[in-house]
């Protein structure tokens, strides 16, 4: 007969084993409609949803390796630098002794204020942050590169590796184009370092900041009011401290006769019968998705067709082990248009609507940049009507909210309001594109 102690140990072993075997990611692969009209080739959509499941305890979260890269150029004087110092100090409360933290500042050149170190002396770091003073130009590229160098000192897969960049102005020392910063972001992303970019005020280059974040799969925020800095920093660290999966790779292998056409919203590779998308990380309680447009061959009514096999590989940050998820997606041909319409998947088609509208929103920005204010306004108004209509079809309040936003933006294209409107549009576009949490 087992003793009470043996029973307790056996139960503990069971629950630990159960915890280690449980996935931290839920995979849902589904088509835009369960049925497709027979008789001719058709276009369909495939949505791959990855949902980060709640962590069992924040005490067992993955350790983080973060470098703050803070702009201290002359334009950061006054409340900007004060709020930046306060926000940077506040985040120390969220970190533990197992975490790695660094602070890099930049003006005409970059400087390491706090070398990458374990957080055993928060008071000393807070004292160092309080010494930051503004003055000089904006060597943004050098600042990010130096921040990445600090992260690399402790770079390893089991950590959440992140550079968080704050800037209020245009890069004017060293490389300063969106393409150059995008290339840097891509290189850092390939090394497992995501870059989050926080644009402060109305004078930074939003295209540069978005490219740097996009290519490394980080976050991006437009912080118009300096008083919001602490809140944004807290939201960013809420993401950093809740990463449940990293090194996420999604492989979509289409069946013979099914042709992958394009990815909507996300960058990735579409070659032959396969689409491949990589994500830097997935957070607790977050859904990230991939949309793939497909062409399916002619079929006969009642015939079933397998669209694709889906495979997801990722690093479980709590169990610290590689995991794999698999799924397959089927549709059925029908000769009834009403049946096809009724079989539409609401959640998939809402996502498709968002991404299609996103493409039009980006085109509106391009038109406005080219001086075609009326063309941009007309496109945004058309977009607003499309979102409103789809919102009613799929009973989706968020599509109707986006419709209102497009309508408001169509009236904010004048010279006096465009600087702010453009930054807000690029931020909103990025959030939809990446399914950003904040």
């Amino acid at each position: 007969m087992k003793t009470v102690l043996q029973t307790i140990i056996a139960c503990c072993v069971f629950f630990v084993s159960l915890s280690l075997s449980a996935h931290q990611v839920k995979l849902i692969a589904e088509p835009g409609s369960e049925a497709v009209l027979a008789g001719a080739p058709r276009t369909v959509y495939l949505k791959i949803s990855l949902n980060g499941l709640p962590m069992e305890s924040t005490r067992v979260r993955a350790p983080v390796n973060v470098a703050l890269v803070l702009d201290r150029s002359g334009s950061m004087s006054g409340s900007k630098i004060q709020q930046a110092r306060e926000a940077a100090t506040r985040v120390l409360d969220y970190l533990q002794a197992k975490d790695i933290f660094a602070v890099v500042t930049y003006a005409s050149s970059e400087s390491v204020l706090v070398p990458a170190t374990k957080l055993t002396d928060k008071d000393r770091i807070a004292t160092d942050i309080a010494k930051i003073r503004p003055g000089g130009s904006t060597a943004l590229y050098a600042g990010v590169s130096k921040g990445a160098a600090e992260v690399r000192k402790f770079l390893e897969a089991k950590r959440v590796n992140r550079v968080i960049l704050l800037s209020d102005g245009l890069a004017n020392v060293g490389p300063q184009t969106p393409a150059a910063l995008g290339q840097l972001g891509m290189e850092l992303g390939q090394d497992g370092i995501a870059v989050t970019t926080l644009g402060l005020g109305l004078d930074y280059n939003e295209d540069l900041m978005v490219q740097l974040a996009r290519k490394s799969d980080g976050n991006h925020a437009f912080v118009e009011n300096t008083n919001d800095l602490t809140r944004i920093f807290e939201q960013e660290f809420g993401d950093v401290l809740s990463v449940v999966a990293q090194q996420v790779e999604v492989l979509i292998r289409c069946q013979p006769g099914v042709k992958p056409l394009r990815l909507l919203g996300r960058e990735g590779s579409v070659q032959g019968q396969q689409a491949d998308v990589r994500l830097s990380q997935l957070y607790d309680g977050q859904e990230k998705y991939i949309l793939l447009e497909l062409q399916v061959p002619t079929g006969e009514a009642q015939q079933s067709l397998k669209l694709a096999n889906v495979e997801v590989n990722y690093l479980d940050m709590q169990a610290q082990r590689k995991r794999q998820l698999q799924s397959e997606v089927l549709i059925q041909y029908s000769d009834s248009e009403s049946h096809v319409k009724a079989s539409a998947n609401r959640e998939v088609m809402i996502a498709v609507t968002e991404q299609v509208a996103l493409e039009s929103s980006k085109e509106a920005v391009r038109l406005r940049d080219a001086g075609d204010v009326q063309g941009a306004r007309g496109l945004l108004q058309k977009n607003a009507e499309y979102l409103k209509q789809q919102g009613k079809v799929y009973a989706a309040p968020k599509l109707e909210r986006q419709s209102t936003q497009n309508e408001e933006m169509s009236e904010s294209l004048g010279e006096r309001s465009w600087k702010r409107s453009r930054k807000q549009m690029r931020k909103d576009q990025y959030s939809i594109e990446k399914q950003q949490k904040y």
Side-chain angles (χ1 to χ4, degrees):
M1 178 180 293
K2 288 185 178 179
T3 66
V4 173
L5 181 57
Q6 287 173 324
T7 301
I8 292 174
I9 292 173
C11 289
C12 288
V13 170
F14 171 76
F15 284 117
V16 169
S17 175
L18 183 62
S19 173
L20 289 177
S21 64
H23 277 280
Q24 284 299 121
V25 176
K26 181 180 180 182
L27 165 64
I28 302 175
E30 50 194 351
S33 175
E34 295 179 1
V36 64
L37 203 60
R42 306 291 179 184
T43 297
V44 299
Y45 295 99
L46 173 61
K47 182 186 179 190
I48 312 300
S49 296
L50 303 175
N51 296 273
L53 299 179
M55 294 188 294
E56 295 178 5
S57 171
T58 56
R59 293 193 301 272
V60 295
R61 67 165 174 81
V64 304
N65 177 19
V66 177
L68 290 186
V69 178
L70 303 178
D71 186 346
R72 65 167 193 86
S73 60
S75 59
M76 284 288 292
S77 61
S79 63
K80 288 181 180 180
I81 200 67
Q82 178 183 343
Q83 292 291 341
R85 289 193 300 254
E86 290 180 6
T89 303
R90 183 77 62 85
V91 300
L92 295 174
D93 295 335
Y94 295 92
L95 302 176
Q96 302 171 0
K98 65 181 179 180
D99 298 318
I100 304 297
F101 186 72
V103 180
V104 171
T105 63
Y106 66 95
S108 299
S109 61
E110 78 285 1
S111 176
V112 178
L113 180 69
V114 179
T117 182
K118 288 190 175 181
L119 278 171
T120 55
D121 191 349
K122 293 184 180 181
D123 290 340
R124 180 186 61 78
I125 294 174
T127 299
D128 289 339
I129 291 173
K131 297 176 182 177
I132 299 174
R133 295 292 181 270
S137 301
T138 309
L140 188 148
Y141 187 99
V144 175
S145 298
K146 182 63 73 173
E150 291 301 306
V151 170
R152 283 195 174 97
K153 291 179 180 179
F154 292 88
L155 183 64
E156 52 185 331
K158 74 176 184 179
R159 295 186 180 277
V160 178
N161 305 291
R162 184 77 59 100
V163 171
I164 300 174
L165 167 69
L166 171 67
S167 180
D168 80 324
L170 300 175
N172 52 27
V173 176
Q176 51 200 260
T177 66
L181 272 294
Q183 179 64 31
L184 176 60
M186 183 176 68
E187 292 169 0
L188 296 179
Q190 290 172 346
D191 290 342
I193 302 172
V195 183
T196 286
T197 58
L198 310 179
L200 178 60
L202 297 178
D203 294 321
Y204 67 92
N205 184 331
E206 58 270 26
D207 291 336
L208 180 154
M209 299 285 263
V210 165
Q211 276 293 85
L212 181 54
R214 174 185 288 120
K215 294 297 185 179
S216 65
D217 201 23
N219 291 327
H220 170 65
F222 165 35
V223 190
E224 183 175 8
N225 191 323
T226 57
N227 293 326
D228 291 332
L229 261 181
T230 296
R231 175 180 59 82
I232 296 296
F233 266 65
E234 289 174 346
Q235 290 176 320
E236 171 62 17
F237 273 83
D239 274 3
V240 171
L241 300 177
S242 65
V243 173
V244 296
Q246 290 194 150
Q247 301 175 16
V248 183
E249 181 179 24
V250 181
L251 298 173
I252 306 169
R253 299 184 178 93
C254 297
Q255 295 299 297
V258 178
K259 182 180 179 181
L261 300 177
R262 61 171 180 148
L263 292 160
L264 276 69
R266 286 197 178 276
E267 295 181 351
S269 169
V270 178
Q271 294 184 338
Q273 293 299 106
Q274 180 170 301
D276 184 350
V277 177
R278 297 171 188 271
L279 309 178
S280 176
Q281 64 273 305
L282 184 67
Y283 308 111
D284 173 336
Q286 182 192 31
E287 179 200 31
K288 287 190 176 184
Y289 63 77
I290 294 149
L291 285 174
L292 182 63
E293 187 177 33
L294 306 168
Q295 185 181 71
V296 298
T298 303
E300 298 180 358
Q302 309 307 315
Q303 175 187 354
S304 293
L305 174 69
K306 181 192 287 189
L307 288 179
N309 291 311
V310 179
E311 179 182 304
V312 178
N313 297 287
Y314 69 95
L315 175 63
D316 184 321
M317 295 302 287
Q318 287 197 310
Q320 285 299 310
R321 55 179 288 197
K322 289 281 190 177
R323 300 214 186 246
Q324 185 179 94
L325 296 166
Q326 293 183 329
S327 183
E328 62 179 31
V329 187
L330 300 159
I331 59 169
Q332 186 177 52
Y333 289 97
S334 173
D335 57 5
S336 168
E337 291 189 9
S338 60
H339 175 220
V340 171
K341 185 176 180 180
S343 68
N345 185 308
R346 175 177 173 273
E347 293 301 323
V348 175
M349 296 312 298
I350 289 173
V352 170
T353 300
E354 284 189 302
Q355 297 302 327
V356 170
L358 174 64
E359 293 177 354
S360 294
S361 176
K362 289 181 176 181
E363 177 62 14
V365 171
R366 190 194 67 78
L367 289 174
R368 176 60 183 82
D369 287 345
D372 187 357
V373 176
Q374 292 305 316
R377 178 171 291 122
L379 189 53
L380 287 171
Q381 290 172 345
K382 184 178 179 180
N383 221 22
E385 185 59 33
Y386 168 67
L387 285 160
K388 183 178 181 180
Q389 180 184 38
Q390 295 295 92
K392 290 180 178 179
V393 169
Y394 298 113
K398 74 172 181 176
L399 294 183
E400 297 195 34
R401 288 194 297 271
Q402 290 174 26
S403 171
T404 300
Q405 290 169 356
N406 273 258
E407 188 66 43
E408 291 173 347
M409 285 299 173
S410 75
E411 301 301 323
S412 303
L413 303 178
E415 289 299 328
R416 295 183 62 183
S417 56
W418 178 234
K419 181 181 284 189
R420 181 194 179 280
S421 297
R422 193 181 194 281
K423 285 175 170 56
Q424 188 62 56
M425 287 180 70
R426 296 292 279 134
K427 164 60 176 70
D428 292 343
Q429 290 165 358
Y430 191 82
S431 292
I432 293 170
E433 180 181 332
K434 294 288 189 177
Q435 297 89 60
Q436 186 172 310
K437 289 177 69 176
Y438 68 88

